[in-house]
Structure formats: C-alpha cells, structure tokens
Amino acid sequence: MKYNFKTMLKHLFLIIVLAVSYYLWDQKPIKHGVGITAPDAPQVERGFRLTEHYVKHYTLEPKFRIKTTSRVIANKRYWFDEKSDLAPVDVVLGWGDLSDERILSQVKTPISRRDFKVDVIRPPLTFSEIRSKLLYMHAIPANDEIADKLKRVKEGHIVSINGYIVDVHDQSSVLWTSSRQGNSAKLDNSQYVLVESLELLD
C-alpha cells in the first residue's frame, strides 16, 4: 500500500506539472515583430435608438455602438468575483503605436481586480498619448460561441470586435456604468462591452 501511495503521488505530481506547463504554453504571447499591427482607432457611434439587451438576470442599456480591430495588450479571466458570471474576461486593447512591439516592449498594462495600470519602462510616448490609444474592456459575451472565443484570446492576438458599450442594471438598480467623459466614451477607463461578434485574426 505504501508503495502504491507513493506511486499515486508521483503520477499526480506529473499530471499537475503537465497541466501547468500546458497552461503556460497556451498563454504564451503572440509575436508579430516591429511595426504597427492595428492602425485604426475604434469606431464609436451614438445618437440613434438602441434597444435594451437581456443577459441572464441583467439588463444591458446600450450607450454606444463600437467596432474595432485592435491588438490584445493584456487579458485576464475571472471565475469567482461578483462580475464573473456576466463579464468573465477583461481585455486591454491597443491600436496605432500601441500595437507596435517596439513601443509595447516599453509599456506594460497589468490587470488586477477589475482595473489596470500603465507601467512605462522608458517613455516612448507621453502618458496621455499612451492612454489615448487604449481600450479597457469588461467583455460580456452575447452567446456561448463568443464566450468560448473570449477564453481563447491571449496577448498579441489581433481581434475584430463588434458590439455595444453598455450600462448594467439588475432588477432594482444600476450596478455598473461604463466610463464617460461628457458625451463621449472614455475608452481607457472601464467599459462594459456586449460583444456580438469576435474574430481572432492572428
């Protein structure tokens, strides 16, 4: 029995090592080399009537329509916090200079506790220029297919996204609002985005 128990522990340890190794390999960033990989800023539109959407027990009130092809600079999955059943993945997207590995080698955007910060090693751009080329998104999948694709997103992917920037309500109150500056979406702060289509381009 003693020998069998030790053998079982060895097998269990090997399984854990293999699982961790696969996870680390699967999360390895995608490299594109020097050069801008997503040149255009997101298209954000308002001024037309948008109907409410319903996801689980939440009501989503669209504020803007958004369309973007951008580079994933950082992403993080959540399983157990209060928003994870609605928005299981947070993503920082960049475009223009913030899709160029020459610039990204000097700029990091770690995500933690539903927020992100900008760490600059050697400033290649001003802080305001960096923030102006970022979108911080709490991604709300419109269906199971989108949810599965979001789980496959990793740093370096070029993604094409169509959807809506929304405010989130439950039955009694407004829970979470997307950040705005006047009548415009403040893209580099928290944006709750209902993702209706998602393509992983590279």
Side-chain angles (χ1 to χ4, degrees):
M1 289 293 293
K2 187 175 182 180
Y3 173 78
N4 289 339
F5 181 70
K6 286 185 176 180
T7 301
M8 183 180 69
L9 286 179
K10 288 180 180 178
H11 289 165
L12 180 60
F13 178 74
L14 179 60
I15 291 170
I16 292 172
V17 169
L18 290 173
V20 171
S21 299
Y22 174 79
Y23 175 79
L24 293 175
W25 173 84
D26 189 54
Q27 294 300 307
K28 185 178 180 181
I30 297 171
K31 298 294 185 181
H32 298 276
V34 174
I36 291 173
T37 53
D40 299 323
Q43 300 175 32
V44 181
E45 303 175 4
R46 65 171 301 163
F48 47 86
R49 184 174 177 82
L50 300 174
T51 58
E52 291 181 339
H53 292 70
Y54 302 94
V55 177
K56 299 182 179 179
H57 61 278
Y58 301 99
T59 301
L60 309 182
E61 181 186 359
K63 295 297 182 180
F64 304 91
R65 190 189 303 273
I66 185 167
K67 180 179 181 180
T68 184
T69 298
S70 299
R71 180 173 180 151
V72 177
I73 299 176
N75 65 301
K76 184 176 179 64
R77 283 186 64 184
Y78 291 88
W79 285 271
F80 304 115
D81 74 352
E82 63 177 345
K83 302 175 183 177
S84 60
D85 65 328
L86 178 70
V89 179
D90 282 3
V91 185
V92 179
L93 297 174
W95 57 88
D97 290 329
L98 266 295
S99 69
D100 185 344
E101 284 182 19
R102 180 179 62 87
I103 301 297
L104 293 176
S105 66
Q106 307 299 321
V107 178
K108 305 301 176 185
T109 57
I111 302 172
S112 178
R113 297 182 179 180
R114 297 291 182 173
D115 200 2
F116 85 105
K117 62 178 180 178
V118 176
D119 292 331
V120 181
I121 301 171
R122 290 196 300 270
L125 303 168
T126 67
F127 189 74
S128 61
E129 286 174 328
I130 292 170
R131 299 285 306 204
S132 72
K133 301 178 189 301
L134 295 176
L135 164 61
Y136 180 44
M137 176 177 68
H138 308 297
I140 303 170
N143 53 51
D144 290 341
E145 180 184 359
I146 300 297
D148 289 339
K149 286 184 178 181
L150 280 170
K151 294 173 185 175
R152 301 204 308 269
V153 166
K154 58 185 178 179
E155 183 182 335
H157 262 136
I158 309 300
V159 296
S160 178
I161 292 173
N162 286 280
Y164 297 98
I165 295 173
V166 302
D167 288 345
V168 181
H169 305 253
D170 67 5
Q171 294 179 351
S172 59
S173 63
V174 176
L175 287 180
W176 307 302
T177 59
S178 292
S179 181
R180 290 184 280 279
Q181 189 169 34
N183 293 323
S184 301
K186 195 172 185 340
L187 296 182
D188 63 323
N189 278 6
S190 292
Q191 300 295 323
Y192 294 88
V193 178
L194 175 63
V195 180
E196 292 202 316
S197 70
L198 168 62
E199 297 297 330
L200 310 182
L201 302 180
D202 203 352

